[in-house]
Amino acid sequence: MLSLCTFKLNDSEIKLVMPEARFAEPLYTVIDQDRESLARYLPWADAMNSVQDELNFIEFARHQFADRKLFLFVITDNRQPVGMIDLHNVNFDSHSAEVGYWLASSSQGKGIMTNALKQMIINIQPELQLHKITVVADVDNIASRSIPQRLGFTHEAVLKDHIFSNGQYHDADTFIRLFD
């Protein structure tokens, strides 16, 4: 299992690891359990309807990783998959990328995602030589918006009708972090 990083948080060992086929079933279980809350903000949640769908996504992500287009990591808490974090829309010409993330409701409120984003930046930003990382979050998703704020990202703009989820358009806050 390839790991980007490992960190301790309270009594937990948190790892950011490359997605593998063996994670498909436990990730799908978490998605299925949290489908309603995930689908409120994430358009893909309603389209993930089976373990096979998750397995197909993992295979897609691994190919995108090989092409340096998507850098997706499974977040594990004491070896149990509890979410994902990624860099997508990677543009090596402009040295920029966007971050996406989601976390099981049972794992929220513990600092896992804030620390996962912090560690991902520490471990991958120098390798990719990124100048700008952007987080886009539904304006109503207070938990998601608070993560870049805690890490010192700058609020850049509100994008009107930027996210289409649950049959309607939602505004999105954008947060950026610049690197020298």
Side-chain angles (χ1 to χ4, degrees):
M1 168 173 48
L2 292 174
S3 175
L4 177 67
C5 63
T6 302
F7 58 93
K8 287 284 202 184
L9 194 60
N10 302 317
D11 293 331
S12 293
E13 180 182 74
I14 310 297
K15 287 187 179 188
L16 305 185
V17 299
M18 291 288 296
E20 297 178 3
R22 66 187 178 94
F23 292 133
E25 187 170 348
L27 284 169
Y28 176 74
T29 299
V30 172
I31 292 166
D32 198 39
Q33 289 171 347
D34 288 345
R35 184 174 309 281
E36 186 176 325
S37 60
L38 289 171
R40 182 172 176 201
Y41 302 115
L42 302 169
W44 56 262
D46 279 333
M48 193 63 62
N49 294 308
S50 67
V51 172
Q52 187 61 50
D53 287 344
E54 184 63 33
L55 185 59
N56 292 344
F57 177 70
I58 288 170
E59 284 303 311
F60 167 80
R62 290 178 67 86
H63 289 290
Q64 292 288 296
F65 184 89
D67 292 339
R68 297 177 53 90
K69 294 180 179 178
L70 171 68
F71 298 87
L72 176 82
F73 302 96
V74 174
I75 301 167
T76 64
D77 181 350
N78 293 326
R79 299 186 179 176
Q80 295 303 310
V82 295
M84 292 182 159
I85 188 167
D86 71 70
L87 284 175
H88 59 275
N89 292 338
V90 179
N91 185 322
F92 288 106
D93 293 331
S94 66
H95 306 275
S96 64
E98 291 181 27
V99 174
Y101 45 77
W102 66 270
L103 192 63
S105 60
S106 61
S107 297
Q108 294 176 12
K110 300 175 183 178
I112 292 172
M113 192 56 76
T114 300
N115 283 284
L117 178 55
K118 178 181 177 182
Q119 291 299 316
M120 185 176 73
I121 290 170
I122 288 169
N123 287 281
I124 207 168
Q125 183 275 334
E127 171 78 19
L128 299 181
Q129 298 180 341
L130 296 172
H131 174 67
K132 178 180 172 181
I133 294 178
T134 303
V135 173
V136 177
D138 188 303
V139 296
D140 294 326
N141 191 341
I142 295 167
S144 186
R145 291 173 52 236
S146 68
I147 293 164
Q149 291 171 325
R150 277 195 291 275
L151 294 175
F153 280 60
T154 302
H155 183 262
E156 184 173 62
V158 174
L159 304 174
K160 296 292 183 187
D161 292 346
H162 188 71
I163 300 168
F164 186 77
S165 183
N166 273 344
Q168 58 187 338
Y169 290 97
H170 302 260
D171 294 348
D173 276 317
T174 59
F175 300 90
I176 64 165
R177 178 149 176 210
L178 300 176
F179 301 90
D180 296 327

